[in-house]
Amino acid sequence: MPSVQPPASSNPLVLFGGTFDPVHRAHISAARAVSKVLGGAHVHLLPNAVPPHKAQPMADGEQRLAMLRLACREYPELVVDDWELRQTGPSYSLNTLRHFRDQCADRPLIFMIGADSFANLHQWHRWQEYATLCHLAVVPRPECALAPDKVQAAFPESDAAQLLQHPSGLRLMLQRPFLDVSATAIREALEKKGDCPALDPAVSTHIRRHHLYNVATTTPSTNYEAP
Ligand code: ATP
């Protein structure tokens, strides 16, 4: 059964978990879009320590945090959060959602994910409990399957105003951004060409400086200096 909780006070908190290996333009555009549609809500970007659904990241947690801080430096609505990196064991989103639900009492808690993650949500650890803890904000992504009916039914589709009235249990489907960008393609481009336009220039410079992702070294570096 869909779980829509009683009305809550506004002031939502948005969580955006991921590997961010590395953070790219689609992550930042998506986080800013969700913040904007929710009235300027803070979005916490949480790099995971041990991703439960994919291979270990190539860059370590400190490097991924550093790249996130560079990519978010001009956006006060984006908060880089090391909470998952400080936990032990697999980074199950359920643990993160429980922690932040405790922190924000009955305020709306919104878990934002790409459409590819939404399509696979039924494979995530105890996903059925999510609706009691958070709303979902789903960002479109090219060539994604639809989520199974049971996942869609667990989070009834709604709008931003309704999400702000309830602590959890609803789903907001964004129409944009719609960007064909992935960290996998970026890592491949870095290895072959030494750079990728989907990276913030400061992140590119950081990657070259720290020799991350087997970056091709024949490409001239940019002149960007990290603050
Ligand atoms: P990889 O290619 O290594 O799998 P990724 O680009 O998918 O990485 P992640 O850090 O795994 O990036 O993603 C974190 C979150 O961002 C996930 O919810 C994912 O669905 C979402 N996301 C990543 N890229 C996009 C995109 N282009 N459009 C919408 N959502 C995205």
Side-chain angles (χ1 to χ4, degrees), residues 22 28 45 56 58 64 70-71 81 85 108 150 163 165 192:
I28 299 300
L45 293 96
Q56 268 304 107
M58 282 182 77
R64 289 179 289 127
L70 288 169
D81 192 323
L85 287 173
K150 63 182 178 185
L163 262 68
Q165 293 290 315
K192 284 190 192 130

Side-chain angles (χ1 to χ4, degrees), residues 16 19-20 24 26-27 54 114 116-117 141 179 181 183-184 187:
F16 188 22
T19 311
F20 301 113
H24 53 64
H27 294 134
K54 58 202 282 190
D116 56 316
S117 302
R141 196 171 183 178
L179 296 171
V181 176
T184 303
R187 291 193 298 272

